[in-house]
Amino acid sequence: MDVMDAEITKNGTQAVDQQCDSLFGKGYINSWANAKKEICKPGGGSTFTCHEHPNTNRGANIGSLFCHATNLVLDSTDFLGEVITKPGTRYPTPKAGSAKVACDIDRPYTREQVADQHTDRWLYDALATAPAADVNAACADPRRTVSYPVYFVTRMDPTNAYHHFEEVMNFFAAMYIYPHKELLQQGITIVAFDGAPKGFYLELWRRIAYPFRIRFLRDRPYPPGTCFKNALIASMPHRSMYTHFWPGVKSMCRSLYMSSVVRWTHMLMADARPELYTWPDGQHRQNEDTVVGRVTWVSRRHFEAANQGKMNSWQVQRMLSNEDAIVPVLSNAVMTWNSKSCLRNPGDGGCRKVPVYFEFATMELGDHRWYPEQLQQLSRTSVLMAVHGAGVFNEIWLRPSTSSVIEVLHNSGGNHHYHNIASFIGLPYHDMGSAHDPNMLAAKLTEVMDSTALRMAEEHGRKMAALRAAGTA
């Protein structure tokens, strides 16, 4: 986060002011870290500490908890319960005593306060006091002990990119909050204790867990009585920053927290998102000063056709009836924009001198695996266009300095999820409201290509100048 803070300051993008920091930056996470309560009373051989997410003023429920424990003994099959015995069950049904600690337990929250996060499954259903001798025996036996940190996560909806990334963000916050950072030098493994589908971001979670393997507890339960020397426990992310920013209200804040998470994930997935200015020795192009951009229209036609009669009311109301008319008009707008470039007509005194041209493509996200196909195409996208929905969330995989997003809020007015996320990461965002007339969309696309091309050319010029100065261009 310190590196990202310095970069935001250096490149002159939207600054992080004090109020924004308290809501969405270091101040936000520090509030989470400082609001903690001990579940284990002092004097036992185990610890169990929970940190409360900052208050969202949304009723009696507290914000999401992040908990960490030492010397926790788990019977993982008993903890999962019906996830094991009834395939298709989404969430664990723990038996009493399936998680044991060597301490007297104090439950500072009511079941109702934590029920919708599933934290109650730990604190009320599973957790029990065990004799210190039993816990110590398990934790002294190397055959029954996991000594490196383990992050237990219950995933809410891993097939929805928007919600699943919330869990990635909560992991990042947990690593920031966790007081024993020296232990993280060993690495940390991810353990999913749910019956949910494996979902989109498996490759990202694998890289987070490296050098260990990500583990789905339903497929590979630990042996009964396994001692976890350092267990980190994430609750369901119902009340994290996503709900904290109130999607019904537009935010103009820059979030140091989310900007840092996005930059971190870009680095983790760097092989699928190669930097445009890094080539193997000897590689070059004949037109080194030309910048190639991409306009990507995100379609849902295949998904909608395959799920006729199965979609809920809000999915149905977002469906476009004229996408077949929109796509060719957008494609023609890109070709018309390119035709006015000096790259195409160098003898025309009125041609556009910015050395940028755009390709146009449609992309049905569900037809591509997230890794590597989706990431590779999104990393090349300069202008992302999409109808409101989780597909717009893929704006996080763009490069904010050289990209833009256009959202069509078709029958979805007042849902500012993706406006706010774009603001958080410094990505230029354009709201078309419910307008889906092809010519109106094409006019907005032309305007956005004009502004985006300038930024693309400026960044390319800076990087090429640096490469030439170093003698590597």
Side-chain angles (χ1 to χ4, degrees):
M1 289 182 71
D2 290 339
V3 171
M4 196 66 212
D5 194 11
E7 181 173 320
I8 290 172
T9 302
K10 180 180 178 182
N11 67 21
T13 57
Q14 182 181 346
V16 179
D17 65 30
Q18 186 172 353
Q19 183 178 8
C20 290
D21 181 73
S22 67
L23 292 173
F24 310 116
K26 280 187 179 179
Y28 162 81
I29 303 184
N30 286 335
S31 296
W32 201 348
N34 294 332
K36 65 179 182 178
K37 293 181 180 177
E38 300 297 338
I39 309 301
C40 271
K41 293 182 179 179
S46 303
T47 65
F48 201 119
T49 305
C50 292
H51 301 260
E52 300 176 24
H53 185 274
N55 182 19
T56 58
N57 296 318
R58 287 197 158 190
N61 293 78
I62 63 169
S64 290
L65 296 183
F66 159 62
C67 304
H68 49 90
T70 60
N71 296 338
L72 174 74
V73 176
L74 183 68
D75 294 325
S76 54
T77 300
D78 284 347
F79 185 91
L80 289 174
E82 291 183 356
V83 169
I84 297 289
T85 60
K86 295 182 179 179
T89 301
R90 177 62 67 95
Y91 301 123
T93 54
K95 292 182 180 178
S98 53
K100 304 178 185 69
V101 285
C103 65
D104 291 329
I105 297 169
D106 181 16
R107 296 177 176 86
Y109 317 101
T110 66
R111 180 184 284 272
E112 290 72 23
Q113 284 180 303
V114 294
D116 70 338
Q117 311 169 26
H118 302 270
T119 309
D120 58 332
R121 299 174 191 273
W122 284 95
L123 297 185
Y124 282 92
D125 296 335
L127 199 63
T129 297
D134 294 349
V135 172
N136 292 339
C139 296
D141 184 350
R143 297 168 300 177
R144 300 167 59 191
T145 299
V146 179
S147 58
Y148 49 82
V150 176
Y151 185 80
F152 290 96
V153 59
T154 303
R155 298 162 305 143
M156 184 168 68
D157 188 357
T159 63
N160 181 301
Y162 172 77
H163 290 299
H164 196 26
F165 198 80
E166 186 176 12
E167 283 147 358
V168 176
M169 290 181 62
N170 279 5
F171 173 82
F172 186 92
M175 297 304 97
Y176 185 91
I177 293 170
Y178 188 52
H180 307 297
K181 302 258 187 329
E182 70 284 356
L183 297 175
L184 300 178
Q185 301 303 313
Q186 304 173 53
I188 184 168
T189 194
I190 309 299
V191 175
F193 59 99
D194 56 52
K198 291 190 174 177
F200 288 131
Y201 292 140
L202 284 185
E203 185 62 26
L204 176 59
W205 284 114
R206 288 187 182 110
R207 295 177 188 212
I208 291 171
Y210 182 83
F212 305 109
R213 293 173 60 190
I214 182 173
R215 189 173 190 134
F216 293 91
L217 210 55
R218 68 175 184 265
D219 299 331
R220 290 198 303 134
Y222 288 98
T226 297
C227 171
F228 295 90
K229 300 292 286 186
N230 299 284
L232 293 78
I233 301 167
S235 69
M236 294 283 284
H238 283 19
R239 300 182 184 278
S240 68
M241 196 182 84
Y242 276 26
T243 49
H244 192 61
F245 68 60
W246 287 75
V249 178
K250 280 189 176 180
S251 171
M252 301 305 297
C253 279
R254 183 71 188 267
S255 168
L256 179 59
Y257 169 40
M258 189 158 192
S259 295
S260 300
V261 177
V262 168
R263 174 57 62 87
W264 172 64
T265 56
H266 285 191
M267 293 170 62
L268 284 171
M269 304 308 301
D271 63 314
R273 306 183 68 266
E275 285 294 332
L276 301 180
Y277 304 94
T278 302
W279 305 290
D281 288 344
Q283 295 289 320
H284 71 284
R285 296 179 294 147
Q286 289 181 324
N287 301 318
E288 292 284 22
D289 290 323
T290 302
V291 187
V292 183
R294 177 187 175 105
V295 174
T296 301
W297 169 263
V298 176
S299 176
R300 292 198 297 253
R301 283 184 292 182
H302 300 170
F303 171 81
E304 290 168 352
N307 289 276
Q308 287 184 356
K310 303 176 185 176
M311 294 187 292
N312 58 38
S313 59
W314 61 264
Q315 288 175 317
V316 171
Q317 73 180 15
R318 294 179 309 168
M319 293 174 63
L320 288 177
S321 60
N322 65 335
E323 188 172 348
D324 286 337
I326 290 172
V327 170
V329 174
L330 295 179
S331 178
N332 186 64
V334 173
M335 289 189 291
T336 300
W337 193 93
N338 288 336
S339 71
K340 297 178 181 179
S341 171
C342 296
L343 295 170
R344 300 289 171 88
N345 297 293
D348 181 357
C351 64
R352 184 189 304 107
K353 294 181 173 58
V354 179
V356 176
Y357 74 88
F358 290 95
E359 300 169 338
F360 178 79
T362 61
M363 182 181 186
E364 179 95 17
L365 294 168
D367 292 347
H368 300 270
R369 292 176 178 84
W370 178 75
Y371 174 82
E373 289 98 337
Q374 284 189 27
L375 275 183
Q376 288 175 336
Q377 294 191 54
L378 290 165
S379 71
R380 294 178 53 216
T381 294
S382 311
V383 181
L384 183 74
M385 300 187 70
V387 177
H388 178 78
V392 189
F393 184 74
N394 287 284
E395 64 188 351
I396 68 161
W397 301 108
L398 307 181
R399 292 179 170 84
S401 61
T402 56
S403 305
S404 303
V405 62
I406 301 173
E407 181 179 15
V408 181
L409 282 162
H410 180 52
N411 294 327
S412 302
N415 292 310
H416 303 301
H417 306 68
Y418 307 114
H419 166 279
N420 292 348
I421 288 171
S423 179
F424 291 160
I425 63 176
L427 175 70
Y429 170 94
H430 304 270
D431 176 1
M432 289 300 295
S434 282
H436 58 280
D437 174 78
N439 293 319
M440 291 181 67
L441 291 174
K444 174 57 71 173
L445 174 58
T446 299
E447 172 191 322
V448 173
M449 284 190 291
D450 285 341
S451 60
T452 305
L454 291 174
R455 291 186 289 117
M456 293 167 64
E458 288 171 0
E459 180 159 309
H460 182 79
R462 288 193 298 269
K463 292 189 175 183
M464 287 302 299
L467 291 172
R468 288 176 179 132
T472 56

